[in-house]
Amino acid sequence: NDPLRGGKGETWDGGVRVPMLLAGPGVPESGIAFDHPVDSVDLLPTFLAAAGAPQPGPGETDGVNLLPYLNGEVTGQPHPHLYVRGVRRDQYKLTTNLASGPLLFDIVDRIDERGRLEGDLPGVVHELWNIMYAHEAEYAKPRWGGNDYNDGDVFDYRAGSAGSAAWSAPFAWAIEDGPSEA
């Protein structure tokens, strides 16, 4: 993965940038390189298109049919931003770390993700942070474990609801627009 940092399963680009090869109906035979990032969710609509099957309806997948991009019918990036346990848009990538908070990198100028920029570009951090959590808030709620929230849900502190208790008191926090017991 050199010069990329990290490996498979990590949020560093060494665990995210993985080569992909496609061959089959609708894919150019000449062998082309497509340098824009794609995601595994793009495989379903691409395979359906190659098979001549109907595409998923709106909201059924985040994936994009890649065949028009590979054939040159559509130019540009298939996704305005790419979410990979963080968010990537243009040259910036924002990830989160429980110990240090948001981490912002310019993955074009510093492909090794060694130079952190969150202190220099708070506006970019804020914008990408909102994109990331808006995306996570769309996830279906877990159907196991008794939780009715996702990690990306927005919580509000309920001033006065916990009396004089600490911030960690029961019912001191609530999911935005959610039930009071959440």
Side-chain angles (χ1 to χ4, degrees):
N1 287 344
D2 190 47
L4 300 176
R5 186 175 179 183
K8 185 174 180 173
E10 294 181 311
T11 57
W12 304 111
D13 269 16
V16 174
R17 293 188 192 198
V18 179
M20 179 171 64
L21 302 172
L22 288 176
V27 178
E29 292 182 19
S30 62
I32 61 161
F34 185 74
D35 292 327
H36 297 294
V38 299
D39 197 335
S40 60
V41 297
D42 298 327
L43 296 178
L44 174 66
T46 302
F47 293 164
L48 289 172
Q55 289 291 303
E60 291 182 334
T61 180
D62 291 331
V64 172
N65 173 11
L66 298 175
L67 293 181
Y69 292 91
L70 299 176
N71 289 314
E73 299 166 22
V74 177
T75 59
Q77 298 186 37
H79 303 277
H81 59 270
L82 191 63
Y83 179 84
V84 186
R85 289 176 277 158
V87 65
R88 174 183 170 163
R89 188 171 75 188
D90 301 326
Q91 81 255 32
Y92 296 113
K93 177 181 173 183
L94 180 79
T95 62
T96 58
N97 180 306
L98 291 176
S100 62
L103 307 173
L104 181 68
F105 302 98
D106 182 330
I107 54 176
V108 172
D109 289 341
R110 290 294 307 264
I111 194 170
D112 61 2
E113 296 176 280
R114 299 278 181 206
R116 294 173 47 184
L117 299 171
E118 60 273 4
D120 298 330
L121 299 169
V124 173
V125 171
H126 181 74
E127 183 179 354
L128 295 179
W129 186 274
N130 287 338
I131 290 170
M132 181 171 60
Y133 282 105
H135 181 81
E136 286 186 356
E138 294 176 357
Y139 291 171
K141 303 302 180 200
R143 296 185 181 120
W144 63 89
N147 291 336
D148 59 353
Y149 61 89
N150 291 321
D151 290 339
D153 285 337
V154 176
F155 288 84
D156 291 323
Y157 181 68
R158 299 169 149 241
S161 65
S164 60
W167 282 65
S168 60
F171 307 114
W173 293 89
I175 296 174
E176 194 173 67
D177 300 323
S180 61
E181 65 276 359

